[in-house]
Amino acid sequence: QVQLVESGGGLVQAGGSLRLSCAASGRTVSMYCMGWFRQAPGKEREFVAAITRNGGSTYYTDSAKGRFTISRDNAKNTAYLQMNSLKPEDTAVYYCAIGLRAIGREEHDFDSWGQGTQVTVSS
């Protein structure tokens, strides 16, 4: 069974950057799409970004377009989320997920989830 571990979260000022990593173990993830979701306090978990198996296509929620970049390194079994120009409204727990679909944007498109990493953006 695959395990996903997120890292790279933390406290950053508005306008700053963070790079999240999602390391997979127990199974190669090259056959899975990978995605990032986030859940802010009091809100439902929402889609942020996703990337296809070979990294050829990426998808973003509107609020992430132009600021966030999802990437993956299948040789390292790892996905990344580079987040620039962070805003206080980006504050949330960020989750990594993998799914057998070619791509997904909904929670039900993904089969395995990490425990999440906290991102806090101060104003």
Side-chain angles (χ1 to χ4, degrees):
Q1 187 172 353
V2 66
Q3 290 186 325
L4 304 174
V5 178
E6 302 93 337
S7 62
L11 173 64
V12 64
Q13 288 187 333
S17 299
L18 284 173
R19 187 193 195 204
L20 305 184
S21 297
C22 172
S25 61
R27 185 177 301 174
T28 180
V29 295
S30 61
M31 297 303 295
Y32 295 81
C33 71
M34 301 186 78
W36 288 94
F37 288 72
R38 67 186 180 186
Q39 187 168 21
K43 295 186 177 181
E44 294 186 351
R45 190 156 55 184
E46 63 175 1
F47 170 76
V48 176
I51 187 167
T52 52
R53 297 163 186 166
N54 63 359
S57 296
T58 56
Y59 300 87
Y60 299 91
T61 190
D62 286 345
S63 63
K65 289 177 182 177
R67 300 189 300 127
F68 294 4
T69 302
I70 187 172
S71 61
R72 65 191 295 166
D73 185 338
N74 285 342
K76 295 182 178 180
N77 237 23
T78 301
Y80 306 95
L81 185 68
Q82 177 69 43
M83 304 187 295
N84 300 327
S85 302
L86 283 161
K87 304 175 181 180
E89 51 264 44
D90 295 317
T91 295
V93 177
Y94 283 70
Y95 297 90
C96 173
I98 62 171
L100 284 171
R101 292 174 179 260
I103 195 66
R105 298 179 184 84
E106 305 291 336
E107 288 193 45
H108 60 73
D109 294 328
F110 294 86
D111 308 302
S112 297
W113 295 79
Q115 293 300 306
T117 185
Q118 176 70 46
V119 171
T120 303
V121 184
S122 63
S123 58

